[in-house]
Amino acid sequence: MKTEQDIFLAYLKSRGLNLTAERSKILQTVFSFHRHFDLDDLYDEIRRHKARVSRATIYRTIPLLMESGLIREVFRCMDRPHYEHIYGHDHHDHMICLGCGKVLEFKDERIEKLQNEVCAEFGFESVEHRLGIRGYCRECREGQVKRRGAAGT
Amino acid sequence: MKTEQDIFLAYLKSRGLNLTAERSKILQTVFSFHRHFDLDDLYDEIRRHKARVSRATIYRTIPLLMESGLIREVFRCMDRPHYEHIYGHDHHDHMICLGCGKVLEFKDERIEKLQNEVCAEFGFESVEHRLGIRGYCRECREGQVKRRGAAGT
DNA sequence: ATTGAGATTGAGACTAAATCTCAATAAATT
DNA sequence: AATTTATTGAGATTTAGTCTCAATCTCAAT
């Protein structure tokens, strides 16, 4: 079983890049999250561990992690992109509550399958897809929870 | 059959707002497009017709059009939101080619239906959803077309 | 038609996310 | 060890989008 490091290292090598201490720290932090995160979550978490990596470096590293297939952008919330690590996790889609901002994950094989069918029809080769359903979760529908902010896929 | 104007006007009235010349021009231009558009497309097209509406006003009007259900944000391309008018059009989803930037539209009732099922399971009330599949179109797969830029949902 | 309250606009100031620059440093290669 | 190339951080820069505000417009009630 390959570790995330192995994969990232292989990707970097293939591009003539090095796995530096900063990149390693970012990678490690990304995989310490069990939730979606944005750039500031990353930055803060790294600092909390008494490490220092500049924002510029994080901005530069995120595309590398995406290209190596370790993370993906999942949706936008408060107008900022949010990410999740995908290595070792099944693919899933999201429901985003417009009331409380909560994110529910779901997976439906039948939907995935139909998507593949549609792609085949069009001769389209799918690399990835993103399905986001915006609406109101059970709790918000029942009216207890106050509004927060808009969420966008 | 209600026109777009009727709908927009009713929406504005319901909020105590007026249908001004600027809003009317924006509305008319939005519905003159047969493709996805971004804010600058709108701005340029309005100017091309010798009319003048400031960017600030366009920025202010887009949310009104969205709330009135006349347009929706469909995806991000080159990091800018793109819109389409939806009144009088069936809902559909998108395939975005990472090679040439082309956008294909498709609709599959079965997928829609399954989405509703999933929502029901979670007690989630869907307001809208967005499904974007990124990959390579037939032409790009066959290798004739050059890369352009990244597209994001 | 006139008036006044509130809505609307455009221009430019402002904000903040993201990118770029560049000098200093680190890593890999010879 | 020397050379080349990659990397970093700090801060400058860019730019989409928002906000401010004075001038104008709209509408409903006179």
Side-chain angles (χ1 to χ4, degrees), chain B residues 17-18 20 22-23 53-54 57 60:
Chain B
L17 305 176
N18 308 313
T20 61
E22 288 82 359
R23 285 175 182 156
V53 178
S54 75
T57 298
R60 287 187 280 235

Side-chain angles (χ1 to χ4, degrees), chain B residues 112-145:
Chain B
E112 307 286 321
K113 203 166 164 189
L114 287 172
Q115 281 174 18
N116 291 338
E117 277 183 33
V118 173
C119 285
E121 258 174 56
F122 280 78
F124 193 89
E125 177 195 340
S126 166
V127 170
E128 69 127 345
H129 74 266
R130 217 179 295 171
L131 170 58
I133 304 180
R134 258 166 305 283
Y136 295 94
C137 71
R138 197 194 303 276
E139 290 70 30
C140 287
R141 289 172 64 197
E142 288 164 4
Q144 298 92 341
V145 189

Side-chain angles (χ1 to χ4, degrees), chain A residues 1-101:
Chain A
M1 177 70 174
K2 279 175 147 174
T3 65
E4 298 92 53
Q5 280 244 359
D6 294 337
I7 291 176
F8 197 32
L9 184 58
Y11 169 77
L12 291 171
K13 283 304 162 203
S14 79
R15 294 215 13 202
L17 306 175
N18 309 313
L19 182 57
T20 62
E22 287 82 358
R23 285 175 183 156
S24 184
K25 187 72 197 168
I26 292 169
L27 177 71
Q28 175 200 323
T29 306
V30 158
F31 277 85
S32 78
F33 286 123
H34 297 290
R35 288 287 68 223
H36 308 105
F37 59 91
D38 65 13
L39 192 128
D40 279 333
D41 294 332
L42 251 181
Y43 183 77
D44 295 342
E45 183 66 10
I46 289 170
R47 301 220 112 209
R48 219 167 60 72
H49 286 292
K50 319 264 181 271
R52 268 169 286 102
V53 177
S54 75
R55 281 199 156 74
T57 297
I58 299 179
Y59 273 114
R60 287 188 279 236
T61 304
I62 284 177
L64 299 176
L65 288 167
M66 296 225 283
E67 280 155 36
S68 64
L70 291 169
I71 69 174
R72 68 167 188 149
E73 191 186 315
V74 276
F75 51 73
R76 301 198 165 235
C77 212
M78 316 313 270
D79 246 318
R80 304 194 63 181
H82 284 66
Y83 308 91
E84 68 183 6
H85 53 92
I86 50 182
Y87 181 62
H89 289 275
D90 274 355
H91 166 78
H92 55 259
D93 295 309
H94 297 101
M95 294 175 186
I96 301 128
C97 181
L98 296 170
C100 62

